[in-house]
Every structure is written in C-alpha cells, then in structure tokens.
Amino acid sequence: MLLNRIIANYLIALAALVMLPVLCVSCDDDDDKTGDEPGQLFRPVLFSVESRTEPVILTWVPIKDASYLMEISRDSLKFEVELQRESLQTGTKELELSGLMKGERYSARIKSISNNPAIRDSEFATLSFVAP
C-alpha cells in the first residue's frame, strides 16, 4: 500500500515535470512594434448631410492627424459631372455648400489624408442628396 502511494506520487510529480514546459510558455521581449499604428486611416465616420435648407452642410467626425479630400459632383455617385475637389485642413468637421442647382442630385465623398507618410489614406465615404 505504501509502495503504491509512493509510485502514484512519483507519477504525479513526473507528469507535472513533463507538463511544465507546456504551461510555462515563454515570450521573447520583442522590440518590433507592429500593430501600434494602423496601416491605413479609417474613413471619416458619421459622414452626413443636412439638405433641408441652403446652405447644404456636410458633416463628419474628424480623425486625429488627418486632413481631408472632399469631392462633390452633380450626379448620383458617379463623380463624373462637374466634379469639384476641396482640400480641407486637419480638424475640419464640416463643409457648407451654397449656390447649388435646386432639385438637382449631388454626390459627395470624403477621404482622410494621412499626415504621416507611413500610414495610407482612407477609402472614400460617400453620400448623395438633392439640393433644396
């Protein structure tokens, strides 16, 4: 009986020693900081239009350390007819449009332009509206 208990304790200790490398996975101290910065900016979020009255106001939530490229066209999301481009400064969160043709459909799209050359610009966020 005592011999069985000694053997059982020995087997438990042996199993713990075998499992120790599995349980104690070591992590190298890695100086590589991948993942700290995004590879690409996000699209401006909550891109919306207030078009009940003139001026029409386009708004979005600004992205840190980014300027913007806004494109406005008089068509439905094709961006081919009377395309206008506006470069907007960092921190800008709205653009007023006046002098639009009443009842005409316009499209607008915006993308974030990175101020850091290591980070790519965003894709466009788009919307369409009818001028009041």
Side-chain angles (χ1 to χ4, degrees):
M1 191 67 111
L2 180 63
L3 183 60
N4 286 342
R5 217 181 321 183
I6 292 174
I7 292 174
N9 287 341
Y10 177 76
L11 289 175
I12 290 171
L14 184 63
L17 284 174
V18 169
M19 293 298 293
L20 190 62
V22 174
L23 296 174
C24 298
V25 176
S26 87
C27 296
D28 291 336
D29 198 16
D30 212 359
D31 289 338
D32 186 21
K33 297 198 177 208
T34 47
D36 286 354
E37 290 185 354
Q40 182 175 11
L41 289 177
F42 290 107
R43 295 177 186 164
V45 294
L46 301 176
F47 183 42
S48 61
V49 61
E50 177 57 52
S51 62
R52 286 183 242 153
T53 62
E54 193 167 302
V56 170
I57 301 173
L58 302 173
T59 60
W60 60 93
V61 175
I63 294 174
K64 182 181 177 187
D65 296 328
S67 54
Y68 305 95
L69 173 65
M70 176 78 71
E71 295 184 344
I72 301 156
S73 178
R74 194 170 51 88
D75 58 22
S76 184
L77 300 174
K78 294 180 184 178
F79 298 94
E80 297 171 350
V81 179
E82 297 178 16
L83 181 65
Q84 299 174 8
R85 288 191 169 108
E86 295 279 335
S87 293
L88 305 168
Q89 299 299 316
T90 301
T92 305
K93 58 184 178 180
E94 71 177 36
L95 178 66
E96 291 186 7
L97 304 173
S98 57
L100 302 176
M101 299 172 80
K102 185 177 181 176
E104 287 289 319
R105 177 156 299 278
Y106 287 84
S107 301
R109 64 184 178 184
I110 186 172
K111 75 175 184 175
S112 303
I113 307 295
S114 176
N115 293 335
N116 180 345
I119 300 174
R120 294 187 330 262
D121 299 342
S122 76
E123 301 292 326
F124 279 102
T126 60
L127 56 78
S128 181
F129 62 94
V130 175

